[in-house]
Amino acid sequence: MEGQILPPESLTNEAIAERLTSTALKSLKKRTIKKKNLIYLELNGCSGNIISLLNGQNPDFEYTLNSMVDLKFCNSLMAAEGEPAIEKLMKAMDDEYILAVEGAVALKNNGLYNIIGSWQGKPLTGLQAAKMLGEKASHILAVGACATHGGVSAAKPNPSQSVGLQMVLPDKKMIKLPGCPVHPDWFLGTLAHLLLYGEPETDNLDRPLMFYSTLIHDRCPRRPFFDRGIFAEKLGDKTCLFKLGCRGPVTRVDCPTRQWNGHVNWPIGDNTPCIGCAQFGFPDAMAPFISYDTTRVVKNE
Amino acid sequence: MQNIEMISMQINYLVTQARHDIYTLSTLSDTSMKPQILQRLWDALSTIHFLSEWLANQAKTSYHFLPSQPSIPVPSGNLNQSQIPPITPLPTPPISQSNQRTFTIGELATFTGKNGRPAYVAVNGIVYDVTNNRAWAAATHFGLLAGKDYTQEFASCHAGQQSILATLPVVGRLV
């Protein structure tokens, strides 16, 4: 067998890397592996996740587009507009594709509160697009708070009757990446895992364990203060922000070790409480983001 | 006052360790070690902070009987208890005496966790203290405010998770 590695085969890093690269190149030539198509759909939201994605490093966005996927549709980033853009979306459905969705699905008035384009002279609603594209996708990534559970779009009083993507695709398996916005690494890392090894291991809420397994509280650099009952009384204090309303103890994600904006800092590192943006139910369930009347100490009960 | 001696020994040890860590950091070429060393420095500093607060408090409260104390040997069990702070700040001491206290729903409503009040909630007729419970930051929990009866909410979100209640300090019963 040609592909088998028989001893004595060199096991240095260079040799292994060389074998991997040449195998990959051969497979590309023989078309046994190929870049996958990605459709990035923006529904009822603020485009915050795509902005966050542009801040990605290792891999950065350019590498993502050149080497990881063929981006077939993304209304924020594509040159086409109007019906020609939607035409590209429709054409992309003929091939296999990975679907990434950010933003919630607005249900009110049969989806009319969120129109993402027009097709054959008629408005195309986010609801229609989510159902149509979701049914055919090989994999679905729900990106950000709104797509995973409704998020800010579904916050009270929810005038557009927004829901998470799963609500309109109840039978489809999807990977959920909550966060407001999602960290570029959470999205790109999950996408890379999907391309290289298939679906990543997830928890019972469909979040990839490689990013969402640890409570912020358990890796917080200020944990010693919590354990000793030393609490910050105002923003800017360097101690535990629990009494101000920090949601680190109920939020599972790797912010303390990963950090943001090119891995340089994160909310608690900047003396402001975690607002639990990567927790289901954000923002209503995580409110109030800040409280001062809980930190005051009035003597004598 | 062996107690205070032990605390000061602990502080000295932490200071020595912190100095060593600073030296290590200044000569470090392998940056992968940096976060761990910084974390340890941070931990050491917060422990020193805590211990110095404790010492200052101790100095304020027990100043007057300092001279008479030194010759009396303190049982080691007591010593250990008072020397190291508990891992999680549970306000158990003042509460354990009032275990059988009864609350009306109106009384319960005053324990909101605000303005220095403790935060209490009731489940199945038992009143629990959630003041320093980590899931109750700022006396709120997934949109719920302290000072109320959450029997139904608990049943709908934490069915079969009685163990959660078992870890909470009980303050009394709801009548």
Side-chain angles (χ1 to χ4, degrees):
Chain A
M1 284 287 285
E2 186 194 325
Q4 253 173 355
I5 297 161
L6 297 168
E9 185 80 31
S10 172
L11 291 174
T12 62
N13 287 342
E14 290 76 16
I16 292 168
E18 202 274 324
R19 282 201 293 274
L20 276 174
T21 328
S22 55
T23 316
L25 284 174
K26 259 187 230 159
S27 319
L28 273 172
K29 257 185 212 155
K30 282 195 247 159
R31 299 198 162 264
T32 48
I33 61 167
K34 56 176 179 178
K35 283 210 284 183
K36 290 206 173 155
N37 296 334
L38 175 72
I39 296 179
Y40 196 101
L41 204 58
E42 286 181 55
L43 304 180
N44 198 19
C46 67
S47 310
N49 295 295
I50 199 91
I51 301 294
S52 178
L53 171 63
L54 297 179
N55 195 30
Q57 287 179 335
N58 306 320
D60 61 13
F61 187 66
E62 197 186 337
Y63 180 89
T64 310
L65 286 197
N66 288 332
S67 306
M68 288 167 68
V69 290
D70 275 326
L71 187 61
K72 289 292 182 186
F73 179 87
C74 174
N75 68 317
S76 287
L77 302 172
M78 67 200 303
E81 55 180 315
E83 264 201 43
I86 299 296
E87 201 175 319
K88 281 183 187 259
L89 179 64
M90 298 297 176
K91 263 200 196 132
M93 281 181 62
D94 297 339
D95 298 321
E96 190 187 315
Y97 60 90
I98 297 170
L99 176 67
V101 176
E102 83 164 86
V105 186
L107 298 179
K108 194 166 185 185
N109 289 2
N110 211 14
L112 271 178
Y113 277 57
N114 176 225
I115 292 167
I116 63 163
S118 67
W119 177 236
Q120 293 167 343
K122 282 189 200 151
L124 177 66
T125 65
L127 176 62
Q128 278 174 302
K131 280 187 174 166
M132 183 175 72
L133 289 150
E135 286 303 332
K136 274 204 64 191
S138 64
H139 301 279
I140 305 177
L141 300 176
V143 183
C146 293
T148 45
H149 54 87
V152 178
S153 299
K156 280 173 207 157
N158 194 359
S160 58
Q161 290 171 11
S162 285
V163 295
L165 187 64
Q166 188 84 74
M167 294 288 276
V168 297
L169 295 165
D171 303 324
K172 294 293 281 190
K173 192 176 181 317
M174 59 182 71
I175 301 169
K176 295 185 182 130
L177 305 172
C180 192
V182 92
H183 193 293
D185 290 2
W186 304 339
F187 174 68
L188 293 174
T190 305
L191 187 63
H193 195 287
L194 210 52
L195 300 172
L196 288 168
Y197 316 111
E199 300 220 343
E201 211 182 323
T202 53
D203 63 9
N204 59 354
L205 296 170
D206 307 317
R207 300 174 292 188
L209 286 171
M210 56 183 167
F211 300 116
Y212 293 88
S213 62
T214 316
L215 273 181
I216 284 181
H217 189 61
D218 288 341
R219 296 302 304 271
C220 182
R222 301 190 182 194
R223 180 63 187 269
F225 287 101
F226 178 85
D227 290 343
R228 291 174 174 81
I230 304 173
F231 298 117
E233 288 169 16
K234 57 185 186 306
L235 295 181
D237 285 357
K238 304 278 184 194
T239 50
C240 175
L241 298 153
F242 170 76
K243 292 280 176 187
L244 292 169
C246 181
R247 303 299 172 190
V250 293
T251 307
R252 263 175 209 287
V253 81
D254 61 3
C255 292
T257 48
R258 184 165 302 281
Q259 312 211 356
W260 289 74
N261 297 329
H263 316 107
V264 294
N265 205 352
W266 66 304
I268 290 172
D270 210 21
N271 308 320
T272 170
C274 164
I275 60 172
C277 80
Q279 173 56 272
F280 286 81
F282 173 85
D284 288 347
M286 297 292 110
F289 293 164
I290 182 92
S291 305
Y292 292 108
D293 49 5
T294 41
T295 65
R296 249 181 254 142
V297 178
V298 179
K299 291 275 157 65
N300 173 30
E301 181 222 29
Chain B
M1 292 274 96
Q2 294 172 2
N3 221 349
I4 287 183
E5 260 164 42
M6 287 191 72
I7 299 271
S8 85
M9 266 170 64
Q10 208 181 343
I11 292 180
N12 282 340
Y13 167 74
L14 286 166
V15 168
T16 310
Q17 186 197 289
R19 284 200 179 119
H20 180 75
D21 282 348
I22 289 170
Y23 172 76
T24 313
L25 274 177
S26 69
T27 58
L28 198 67
S29 54
D30 173 18
T31 49
S32 66
M33 282 296 292
K34 206 171 136 192
Q36 289 168 45
I37 296 176
L38 282 173
Q39 173 83 57
R40 194 167 65 177
L41 257 177
W42 186 264
D43 287 353
L45 200 62
S46 48
T47 313
I48 292 170
H49 181 188
F50 175 78
L51 293 175
S52 67
E53 294 272 307
W54 188 89
L55 277 180
N57 256 334
Q58 204 64 9
K60 265 185 239 157
T61 53
S62 63
Y63 193 72
H64 54 280
F65 62 90
L66 247 179
S68 64
Q69 279 296 77
S71 56
I72 301 166
V74 187
S76 60
N78 275 349
L79 202 134
N80 281 340
Q81 271 173 14
S82 49
Q83 174 206 350
I84 305 274
I87 294 295
T88 309
L90 296 176
T92 29
I95 280 145
S96 50
Q97 303 139 5
S98 54
N99 245 348
Q100 284 314 304
R101 185 169 166 183
T102 56
F103 294 82
T104 64
I105 199 83
E107 281 168 338
L108 179 64
T110 66
F111 292 93
T112 56
K114 297 182 189 300
N115 300 317
R117 303 278 291 169
Y120 294 167
V121 291
V123 175
N124 297 325
I126 297 172
V127 179
Y128 298 94
D129 186 315
V130 294
T131 313
N132 286 331
N133 184 281
R134 64 186 204 168
W136 280 83
T140 53
H141 175 78
F142 291 87
L144 307 178
L145 307 175
K148 291 182 183 165
D149 180 12
Y150 287 125
T151 303
Q152 280 176 12
E153 285 82 353
F154 187 87
S156 70
C157 292
H158 300 298
Q161 293 178 282
Q162 293 300 309
S163 55
I164 296 176
L165 295 176
T167 64
L168 295 175
V170 175
V171 277
R173 285 178 303 112
L174 191 66
V175 288

